Amino acid sequence: MPTIHENQFFTVLVEFEVDPSQQYTFINEIAEQVEQHFKSYAGFVSASFHASDDGQRVVNYAQWQSKEAWQDSFHAPNRNEVQTSIDELISRCGAKTLNSIPFASCEWSRMYEC
């Protein structure tokens, strides 16, 4: 589970549309990719996956130590193989990437508890 620290990490949100019958298969398999590969990338902090109630969406909330660490991950030695594996997973689960949005921390950000 990610730890949200105010003004500390660079965050990337990735939204996927997925076949509802494949939502949890998709989450389990992409989480396995994170375990096998991304955890070893310099600057990687955490990733969590959120399933929509209607089964049609998955959102990945990923944190990196910096924007540069995230950008450098695209040049990791095995990155092309990892991306191919993820692309195959996306296809197999009838998913598609809708959005990939990077966010930098801001001085005015606040955390609120409900």
Side-chain angles (χ1 to χ4, degrees), residues 53-83:
D53 283 343
D54 65 5
Q56 296 181 19
R57 299 275 192 277
V58 172
V59 174
N60 169 223
Y61 178 94
Q63 290 184 305
W64 295 82
Q65 288 177 348
S66 66
K67 181 177 182 179
E68 293 74 25
W70 172 67
Q71 290 172 327
D72 289 348
S73 76
F74 290 96
H75 305 289
N78 66 342
R79 181 55 191 236
N80 288 339
E81 296 164 23
V82 173
Q83 191 60 53

Side-chain angles (χ1 to χ4, degrees), residues 11-18 26 30 48-50 56-62 70 74 83 86 90 95-103:
T11 302
V12 180
L13 295 177
V14 184
E15 180 184 14
F16 299 95
E17 182 178 66
V18 64
F26 181 75
I30 203 163
S48 61
F49 297 91
H50 305 272
Q56 296 181 19
R57 299 275 192 277
V58 172
V59 174
N60 169 223
Y61 178 94
W70 172 67
F74 290 96
Q83 191 60 53
I86 290 171
I90 289 170
K96 66 180 178 180
T97 305
L98 297 179
N99 294 301
S100 181
I101 309 167
F103 292 91

